[in-house]
């Protein structure tokens, strides 16, 4: 199964001791390694807001897909942890939400 989650070109897969490892510059982000009869993806990046995780997977391609999704969901945190704020996606604020008088708490309606 080929993975389709796109990451910036700065993320590269390299072989470390025979294990595929995802890197951003010199920072190891995730590694796929064999365990028993299966495979495990483990995240290697330590930063505030990022917890280390280990996930059992069926094969290397599934692991690459999982790692890509994990990074895409946390791209701002990963980019800041690797000192690459240029990779962080822009913050998009939603439209202003209108508040109706009936939605205010009862103590705010007294005035």
């Amino acid at each position: 199964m080929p993975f389709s989650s796109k990451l910036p070109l700065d993320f590269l897969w390299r072989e470390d001791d025979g294990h595929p490892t995802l890197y951003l510059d010199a920072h190891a982000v995730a590694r796929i390694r064999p365990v028993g009869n299966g495979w495990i993806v483990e995240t290697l990046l330590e930063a505030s807001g990022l917890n280390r995780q280990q996930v059992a997977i069926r094969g290397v391609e599934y692991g690459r897909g999982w790692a890509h999704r994990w990074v895409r969901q946390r791209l701002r945190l990963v980019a800041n942890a690797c000192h690459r704020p240029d990779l962080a996606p822009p913050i998009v604020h939603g439209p202003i939400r209108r508040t109706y008088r009936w939605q205010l708490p009862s103590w705010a309606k007294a005035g």
Side-chain angles (χ1 to χ4, degrees):
M1 174 190 105
F3 53 90
S4 62
S5 185
K6 300 289 183 188
L7 288 177
L9 297 176
D10 300 301
F11 287 91
L12 295 173
W13 285 97
R14 298 183 201 151
E15 292 286 326
D16 275 353
D17 300 326
H19 305 303
T21 306
L22 180 63
Y23 279 92
L24 174 57
D25 296 333
H27 301 277
V29 177
R31 176 184 299 134
I32 302 170
R33 62 182 175 88
V35 174
N37 293 332
W39 296 85
I40 284 185
V41 178
E42 56 187 354
T43 59
L44 304 173
L45 203 57
E46 292 186 24
S48 65
L50 291 174
N51 296 325
R52 293 192 63 170
Q53 297 181 357
Q54 289 186 346
V55 177
I57 52 167
R58 290 189 239 174
V60 175
E61 289 300 314
Y62 288 98
R64 288 181 185 216
W66 185 90
H68 279 228
R69 284 188 301 276
W70 185 85
V71 170
R72 287 294 299 168
Q73 292 170 357
R74 296 157 182 84
L75 188 55
R76 180 176 306 285
L77 292 171
V78 171
N80 289 334
C82 295
H83 311 292
R84 291 291 306 271
D86 58 309
L87 294 178
I91 297 174
V92 178
H93 297 285
I96 297 173
R97 183 172 176 212
R98 183 172 178 185
T99 304
Y100 296 98
R101 186 165 177 79
W102 60 267
Q103 292 175 312
L104 298 175
S106 60
W107 56 267
K109 294 178 186 177

